[in-house]
Structures are given as C-alpha cells and as structure tokens.
Amino acid sequence: MAGICEGRVAIVTGAGNGLGKAYALGLAAEGAKVVVNDLGVGTHGEDGASKGAAEMVVEEIRANGGEAVADTGDVADWDAGKRMVELAVSTFGRLDAVVNNAGFVRDRMFVSCTPEEWDAVLRVHLRGHFCTSRHAVDYWRAQQKAGNPIDARIINTTSGAGLQGSVGQSAYSAAKGGIATLTLVQAAELARYGITANALAPNARTRMTATGAFDMDVKEGEFDVFAPENMAPLVAYLVSEQSKGVTGQVFELKGGNIFLSQGWSDSPNFDKGARFEASELDPIVRDLINKREPAKPVYGAA
C-alpha cells in the first residue's frame, strides 16, 4: 500500500541523527521524497562531530527503496536555505514541506550565559527556522502566481522548554518560545497561499537529552515512551495531504499520548473602570494570581 505521503517532497533539517533522522526515515517509509539536511555538528554546535551523517541517512532510505538526497548546508545561512529549496526542486521537481528540526544546546544558568552562547543558540533555532522556510514560501508563492495549486506545509520544532521554561536553558527556552509564536504568525499570514504551519514539542531521547539531566531509560519489554521514532508518525501526518486545514497548532507528543498546547490565554480579571493607583495594586494582583489556573512548572524548578 502507498503511504500517506506518496508523491510529497519534504526537506528535513538536522536529519542526520535523533529526531530528524526518525522524521526522514518515517517520511520516506510513507512515500515521501526527502532532502536530508545535516551540517554534521555536535550537540553544542562543534564542527565535524557527526560528519557524513546526512549521507548515511540517505543511504539508509535508498536501501529501503526510498528516494532521498543529502544537503550539508547551515540552516541559519540565508543563501544555504535557498540552495536547499533549489536542491529539492531540481532533484524531485517540487517541494511540499519543510520540517525545521536542526538545533543544538549551550546549557548554562542565566547568570553564567555569555553573549556568544546566547547568539549561537538563537541563531541556529530561530534564524534557522526562518531561512529555509522563507525561501520555501517564495517558491510556493511563485508557483501559486503561475497558476499551480499549492498545498504546502511548514512544521516547526518548539519544546516544553519554550512553552514553560527550563532551568539552565534560558537561551534555548527563549528560542523555542519564539518558534511557537512564529508558528502562529506563519499560520495566520500564509493561509492565503495554501500553506499551513504547525509546531511540535517532542518528548524524546536524543543526543541533546543524553546529559544526565533527564531520566529517559526504558525497562526491558516495556513500551519505549521516549523513542524518537514515536514522533515520526505525527510529522508524516502533518506533511501529508490528509492534514489540509490543520494549522496554527502546537502539538505535544509523548510516546502514544498526543495533545495540543493551549498557550497563553486570558485569566480572571479585575476592571476598576479608571486608572489604578500604584499603591492599590498589590491585593488585586495577588487575588488574580490566586484565582487563575495553576501554571505548569518550569522544568527543573525547585
């Protein structure tokens, strides 16, 4: 039987290892043709730590009867993003989806975080999500203007760290929170072109979680809740034509448990009907805090 992504062409960034690799293999198994992007760096962005990873994933896809091509460009480089889109079109004749997954961490408590670490993390995550998607949107708009129907997808990667914060990950949390909001804006702005945008906050075991800070061990014989492959079916669905009209959503997935993030929402309010005095706000603020639904705790908070 043909998979649900038969005939679709997708770019997956950071696809040499972990989640990105699982996405690329899962998409190929569902019939998609895949551009496997990976710069070959380590979990902290160090050069050459996984050189050749993209090519190895491509070989695995081809060995299983699928179609794929490797790209080793930097997702946060503007021109490299354009070349990635051009590679998809020149190799497979079209592009239907961009799965933004590439990233690394520079974990540090806020009081110790350096400007260089901050900039590096925001560059690969936020700017990295921008560059490839922006060139893909240019391609899709041009296709629409040429009279070709568009049913395209952007799938972004946020994180629980971005949705609720994570101690020791201020830069990463800020970047992932920005990606969640970017997704909402993309969904609102790009619908007119036939483009949907959604985000996924995965719960999975990857090189970035192998720091000892997360307990993701699995007992023999039990369902591996944190296997990266658990995330792949949702990505394949979002890339497929079946997900048409599903947009502006932030999905969280853990094992076989899928749910939507509600995001920021209005809480109980107090309307004085006139300008407040600073001296009267303390009891009002504390009463509002007591009435609101409890927030999910920041990861790692005491």
Side-chain angles (χ1 to χ4, degrees), residues 184-208:
L184 303 182
V185 176
Q186 288 174 327
E189 291 185 356
L190 302 178
R192 73 189 71 178
Y193 305 113
I195 305 166
T196 66
N198 294 284
L200 170 61
N203 285 268
R205 187 188 306 104
T206 69
R207 293 187 301 168
M208 290 196 295

PDB file of all heavy atoms in Angstrom, residues 184-208:
ATOM      1  N   LEU A 184       2.426  30.581  14.965  1.00  0.00           N
ATOM      2  CA  LEU A 184       1.097  31.196  14.937  1.00  0.00           C
ATOM      3  C   LEU A 184       1.021  32.287  13.878  1.00  0.00           C
ATOM      4  O   LEU A 184       0.016  32.403  13.165  1.00  0.00           O
ATOM      5  CB  LEU A 184       0.768  31.777  16.314  1.00  0.00           C
ATOM      6  CG  LEU A 184       0.818  30.813  17.505  1.00  0.00           C
ATOM      7  CD1 LEU A 184       0.417  31.532  18.788  1.00  0.00           C
ATOM      8  CD2 LEU A 184      -0.070  29.604  17.266  1.00  0.00           C
ATOM      9  N   VAL A 185       2.084  33.085  13.772  1.00  0.00           N
ATOM     10  CA  VAL A 185       2.101  34.161  12.777  1.00  0.00           C
ATOM     11  C   VAL A 185       2.143  33.578  11.367  1.00  0.00           C
ATOM     12  O   VAL A 185       1.428  34.035  10.465  1.00  0.00           O
ATOM     13  CB  VAL A 185       3.299  35.093  13.027  1.00  0.00           C
ATOM     14  CG1 VAL A 185       3.388  36.154  11.929  1.00  0.00           C
ATOM     15  CG2 VAL A 185       3.186  35.759  14.395  1.00  0.00           C
ATOM     16  N   GLN A 186       2.974  32.566  11.153  1.00  0.00           N
ATOM     17  CA  GLN A 186       3.032  31.930   9.831  1.00  0.00           C
ATOM     18  C   GLN A 186       1.674  31.375   9.425  1.00  0.00           C
ATOM     19  O   GLN A 186       1.239  31.544   8.283  1.00  0.00           O
ATOM     20  CB  GLN A 186       4.074  30.810   9.839  1.00  0.00           C
ATOM     21  CG  GLN A 186       5.508  31.296   9.884  1.00  0.00           C
ATOM     22  CD  GLN A 186       6.494  30.153  10.041  1.00  0.00           C
ATOM     23  OE1 GLN A 186       6.201  29.149  10.688  1.00  0.00           O
ATOM     24  NE2 GLN A 186       7.672  30.294   9.455  1.00  0.00           N
ATOM     25  N   ALA A 187       0.999  30.715  10.366  1.00  0.00           N
ATOM     26  CA  ALA A 187      -0.313  30.141  10.056  1.00  0.00           C
ATOM     27  C   ALA A 187      -1.293  31.220   9.633  1.00  0.00           C
ATOM     28  O   ALA A 187      -2.067  31.046   8.675  1.00  0.00           O
ATOM     29  CB  ALA A 187      -0.840  29.369  11.255  1.00  0.00           C
ATOM     30  N   ALA A 188      -1.269  32.353  10.331  1.00  0.00           N
ATOM     31  CA  ALA A 188      -2.208  33.438  10.028  1.00  0.00           C
ATOM     32  C   ALA A 188      -1.887  34.111   8.696  1.00  0.00           C
ATOM     33  O   ALA A 188      -2.792  34.456   7.925  1.00  0.00           O
ATOM     34  CB  ALA A 188      -2.187  34.465  11.156  1.00  0.00           C
ATOM     35  N   GLU A 189      -0.610  34.307   8.421  1.00  0.00           N
ATOM     36  CA  GLU A 189      -0.215  35.049   7.231  1.00  0.00           C
ATOM     37  C   GLU A 189      -0.198  34.213   5.953  1.00  0.00           C
ATOM     38  O   GLU A 189      -0.445  34.743   4.855  1.00  0.00           O
ATOM     39  CB  GLU A 189       1.180  35.648   7.424  1.00  0.00           C
ATOM     40  CG  GLU A 189       1.250  36.762   8.451  1.00  0.00           C
ATOM     41  CD  GLU A 189       2.622  37.405   8.519  1.00  0.00           C
ATOM     42  OE1 GLU A 189       3.555  36.926   7.820  1.00  0.00           O
ATOM     43  OE2 GLU A 189       2.761  38.390   9.254  1.00  0.00           O
ATOM     44  N   LEU A 190       0.096  32.923   6.071  1.00  0.00           N
ATOM     45  CA  LEU A 190       0.376  32.113   4.884  1.00  0.00           C
ATOM     46  C   LEU A 190      -0.804  31.292   4.396  1.00  0.00           C
ATOM     47  O   LEU A 190      -0.717  30.654   3.345  1.00  0.00           O
ATOM     48  CB  LEU A 190       1.565  31.188   5.155  1.00  0.00           C
ATOM     49  CG  LEU A 190       2.871  31.889   5.553  1.00  0.00           C
ATOM     50  CD1 LEU A 190       3.965  30.866   5.840  1.00  0.00           C
ATOM     51  CD2 LEU A 190       3.320  32.876   4.473  1.00  0.00           C
ATOM     52  N   ALA A 191      -1.908  31.316   5.134  1.00  0.00           N
ATOM     53  CA  ALA A 191      -3.076  30.525   4.725  1.00  0.00           C
ATOM     54  C   ALA A 191      -3.558  30.915   3.330  1.00  0.00           C
ATOM     55  O   ALA A 191      -4.004  30.062   2.553  1.00  0.00           O
ATOM     56  CB  ALA A 191      -4.202  30.694   5.742  1.00  0.00           C
ATOM     57  N   ARG A 192      -3.449  32.191   2.999  1.00  0.00           N
ATOM     58  CA  ARG A 192      -3.929  32.672   1.696  1.00  0.00           C
ATOM     59  C   ARG A 192      -3.163  32.047   0.528  1.00  0.00           C
ATOM     60  O   ARG A 192      -3.631  32.060  -0.612  1.00  0.00           O
ATOM     61  CB  ARG A 192      -3.807  34.198   1.641  1.00  0.00           C
ATOM     62  CG  ARG A 192      -2.388  34.707   1.511  1.00  0.00           C
ATOM     63  CD  ARG A 192      -2.270  36.196   1.679  1.00  0.00           C
ATOM     64  NE  ARG A 192      -2.488  36.591   3.056  1.00  0.00           N
ATOM     65  CZ  ARG A 192      -2.399  37.858   3.486  1.00  0.00           C
ATOM     66  NH1 ARG A 192      -2.107  38.823   2.627  1.00  0.00           N
ATOM     67  NH2 ARG A 192      -2.597  38.147   4.746  1.00  0.00           N
ATOM     68  N   TYR A 193      -1.971  31.520   0.809  1.00  0.00           N
ATOM     69  CA  TYR A 193      -1.152  30.908  -0.241  1.00  0.00           C
ATOM     70  C   TYR A 193      -1.289  29.387  -0.280  1.00  0.00           C
ATOM     71  O   TYR A 193      -0.621  28.723  -1.077  1.00  0.00           O
ATOM     72  CB  TYR A 193       0.322  31.268  -0.038  1.00  0.00           C
ATOM     73  CG  TYR A 193       0.580  32.741   0.048  1.00  0.00           C
ATOM     74  CD1 TYR A 193       1.013  33.325   1.244  1.00  0.00           C
ATOM     75  CD2 TYR A 193       0.396  33.577  -1.052  1.00  0.00           C
ATOM     76  CE1 TYR A 193       1.256  34.685   1.342  1.00  0.00           C
ATOM     77  CE2 TYR A 193       0.627  34.938  -0.968  1.00  0.00           C
ATOM     78  CZ  TYR A 193       1.057  35.492   0.228  1.00  0.00           C
ATOM     79  OH  TYR A 193       1.291  36.840   0.314  1.00  0.00           O
ATOM     80  N   GLY A 194      -2.115  28.834   0.599  1.00  0.00           N
ATOM     81  CA  GLY A 194      -2.259  27.383   0.647  1.00  0.00           C
ATOM     82  C   GLY A 194      -1.191  26.710   1.483  1.00  0.00           C
ATOM     83  O   GLY A 194      -0.881  25.523   1.277  1.00  0.00           O
ATOM     84  N   ILE A 195      -0.630  27.463   2.433  1.00  0.00           N
ATOM     85  CA  ILE A 195       0.456  26.954   3.278  1.00  0.00           C
ATOM     86  C   ILE A 195      -0.033  26.863   4.713  1.00  0.00           C
ATOM     87  O   ILE A 195      -0.579  27.842   5.248  1.00  0.00           O
ATOM     88  CB  ILE A 195       1.689  27.882   3.222  1.00  0.00           C
ATOM     89  CG1 ILE A 195       2.144  28.101   1.778  1.00  0.00           C
ATOM     90  CG2 ILE A 195       2.819  27.328   4.085  1.00  0.00           C
ATOM     91  CD1 ILE A 195       3.125  29.245   1.604  1.00  0.00           C
ATOM     92  N   THR A 196       0.148  25.709   5.348  1.00  0.00           N
ATOM     93  CA  THR A 196      -0.159  25.580   6.762  1.00  0.00           C
ATOM     94  C   THR A 196       1.133  25.591   7.571  1.00  0.00           C
ATOM     95  O   THR A 196       2.207  25.284   7.060  1.00  0.00           O
ATOM     96  CB  THR A 196      -0.933  24.288   7.068  1.00  0.00           C
ATOM     97  OG1 THR A 196      -0.094  23.157   6.800  1.00  0.00           O
ATOM     98  CG2 THR A 196      -2.206  24.196   6.235  1.00  0.00           C
ATOM     99  N   ALA A 197       1.026  25.945   8.838  1.00  0.00           N
ATOM    100  CA  ALA A 197       2.182  25.966   9.741  1.00  0.00           C
ATOM    101  C   ALA A 197       1.760  25.416  11.091  1.00  0.00           C
ATOM    102  O   ALA A 197       0.768  25.879  11.682  1.00  0.00           O
ATOM    103  CB  ALA A 197       2.725  27.382   9.890  1.00  0.00           C
ATOM    104  N   ASN A 198       2.479  24.434  11.557  1.00  0.00           N
ATOM    105  CA  ASN A 198       2.235  23.838  12.868  1.00  0.00           C
ATOM    106  C   ASN A 198       3.573  23.600  13.549  1.00  0.00           C
ATOM    107  O   ASN A 198       4.626  23.605  12.906  1.00  0.00           O
ATOM    108  CB  ASN A 198       1.477  22.507  12.731  1.00  0.00           C
ATOM    109  CG  ASN A 198       0.078  22.690  12.182  1.00  0.00           C
ATOM    110  OD1 ASN A 198      -0.828  23.123  12.883  1.00  0.00           O
ATOM    111  ND2 ASN A 198      -0.105  22.373  10.902  1.00  0.00           N
ATOM    112  N   ALA A 199       3.531  23.392  14.861  1.00  0.00           N
ATOM    113  CA  ALA A 199       4.750  23.125  15.617  1.00  0.00           C
ATOM    114  C   ALA A 199       4.568  21.878  16.464  1.00  0.00           C
ATOM    115  O   ALA A 199       3.452  21.532  16.858  1.00  0.00           O
ATOM    116  CB  ALA A 199       5.111  24.316  16.499  1.00  0.00           C
ATOM    117  N   LEU A 200       5.681  21.242  16.746  1.00  0.00           N
ATOM    118  CA  LEU A 200       5.698  20.033  17.561  1.00  0.00           C
ATOM    119  C   LEU A 200       6.682  20.221  18.707  1.00  0.00           C
ATOM    120  O   LEU A 200       7.818  20.637  18.493  1.00  0.00           O
ATOM    121  CB  LEU A 200       6.111  18.824  16.710  1.00  0.00           C
ATOM    122  CG  LEU A 200       6.416  17.511  17.430  1.00  0.00           C
ATOM    123  CD1 LEU A 200       5.194  17.003  18.187  1.00  0.00           C
ATOM    124  CD2 LEU A 200       6.911  16.468  16.448  1.00  0.00           C
ATOM    125  N   ALA A 201       6.221  19.932  19.920  1.00  0.00           N
ATOM    126  CA  ALA A 201       7.103  19.892  21.089  1.00  0.00           C
ATOM    127  C   ALA A 201       7.314  18.421  21.438  1.00  0.00           C
ATOM    128  O   ALA A 201       6.491  17.815  22.128  1.00  0.00           O
ATOM    129  CB  ALA A 201       6.482  20.647  22.257  1.00  0.00           C
ATOM    130  N   PRO A 202       8.391  17.827  20.951  1.00  0.00           N
ATOM    131  CA  PRO A 202       8.590  16.383  21.147  1.00  0.00           C
ATOM    132  C   PRO A 202       9.124  16.051  22.531  1.00  0.00           C
ATOM    133  O   PRO A 202       9.839  16.839  23.149  1.00  0.00           O
ATOM    134  CB  PRO A 202       9.610  16.023  20.065  1.00  0.00           C
ATOM    135  CG  PRO A 202      10.366  17.280  19.829  1.00  0.00           C
ATOM    136  CD  PRO A 202       9.439  18.428  20.111  1.00  0.00           C
ATOM    137  N   ASN A 203       8.753  14.888  23.018  1.00  0.00           N
ATOM    138  CA  ASN A 203       9.351  14.305  24.216  1.00  0.00           C
ATOM    139  C   ASN A 203      10.079  13.050  23.772  1.00  0.00           C
ATOM    140  O   ASN A 203       9.460  12.002  23.568  1.00  0.00           O
ATOM    141  CB  ASN A 203       8.271  13.940  25.235  1.00  0.00           C
ATOM    142  CG  ASN A 203       7.707  15.144  25.941  1.00  0.00           C
ATOM    143  OD1 ASN A 203       8.191  15.535  27.001  1.00  0.00           O
ATOM    144  ND2 ASN A 203       6.691  15.767  25.344  1.00  0.00           N
ATOM    145  N   ALA A 204      11.388  13.151  23.584  1.00  0.00           N
ATOM    146  CA  ALA A 204      12.111  12.027  23.003  1.00  0.00           C
ATOM    147  C   ALA A 204      13.566  12.029  23.457  1.00  0.00           C
ATOM    148  O   ALA A 204      14.127  13.070  23.814  1.00  0.00           O
ATOM    149  CB  ALA A 204      12.056  12.087  21.474  1.00  0.00           C
ATOM    150  N   ARG A 205      14.163  10.867  23.407  1.00  0.00           N
ATOM    151  CA  ARG A 205      15.559  10.676  23.757  1.00  0.00           C
ATOM    152  C   ARG A 205      16.432  11.027  22.549  1.00  0.00           C
ATOM    153  O   ARG A 205      16.315  10.419  21.491  1.00  0.00           O
ATOM    154  CB  ARG A 205      15.784   9.223  24.168  1.00  0.00           C
ATOM    155  CG  ARG A 205      17.159   8.899  24.719  1.00  0.00           C
ATOM    156  CD  ARG A 205      17.345   7.401  24.905  1.00  0.00           C
ATOM    157  NE  ARG A 205      16.289   6.807  25.726  1.00  0.00           N
ATOM    158  CZ  ARG A 205      15.281   6.081  25.234  1.00  0.00           C
ATOM    159  NH1 ARG A 205      15.195   5.869  23.919  1.00  0.00           N
ATOM    160  NH2 ARG A 205      14.371   5.567  26.030  1.00  0.00           N
ATOM    161  N   THR A 206      17.289  12.019  22.698  1.00  0.00           N
ATOM    162  CA  THR A 206      18.179  12.437  21.610  1.00  0.00           C
ATOM    163  C   THR A 206      19.565  12.720  22.187  1.00  0.00           C
ATOM    164  O   THR A 206      19.786  12.623  23.396  1.00  0.00           O
ATOM    165  CB  THR A 206      17.668  13.714  20.913  1.00  0.00           C
ATOM    166  OG1 THR A 206      17.794  14.831  21.815  1.00  0.00           O
ATOM    167  CG2 THR A 206      16.211  13.565  20.489  1.00  0.00           C
ATOM    168  N   ARG A 207      20.488  13.111  21.321  1.00  0.00           N
ATOM    169  CA  ARG A 207      21.821  13.488  21.801  1.00  0.00           C
ATOM    170  C   ARG A 207      21.740  14.652  22.786  1.00  0.00           C
ATOM    171  O   ARG A 207      22.551  14.749  23.707  1.00  0.00           O
ATOM    172  CB  ARG A 207      22.718  13.880  20.624  1.00  0.00           C
ATOM    173  CG  ARG A 207      23.062  12.735  19.684  1.00  0.00           C
ATOM    174  CD  ARG A 207      24.088  13.175  18.640  1.00  0.00           C
ATOM    175  NE  ARG A 207      23.604  14.291  17.836  1.00  0.00           N
ATOM    176  CZ  ARG A 207      24.360  15.012  17.022  1.00  0.00           C
ATOM    177  NH1 ARG A 207      25.659  14.743  16.919  1.00  0.00           N
ATOM    178  NH2 ARG A 207      23.861  16.002  16.315  1.00  0.00           N
ATOM    179  N   MET A 208      20.769  15.545  22.597  1.00  0.00           N
ATOM    180  CA  MET A 208      20.665  16.715  23.466  1.00  0.00           C
ATOM    181  C   MET A 208      20.112  16.374  24.843  1.00  0.00           C
ATOM    182  O   MET A 208      20.291  17.130  25.788  1.00  0.00           O
ATOM    183  CB  MET A 208      19.795  17.795  22.807  1.00  0.00           C
ATOM    184  CG  MET A 208      20.456  18.448  21.608  1.00  0.00           C
ATOM    185  SD  MET A 208      19.684  20.009  21.102  1.00  0.00           S
ATOM    186  CE  MET A 208      18.066  19.466  20.587  1.00  0.00           C
TER     187      MET A 208
END
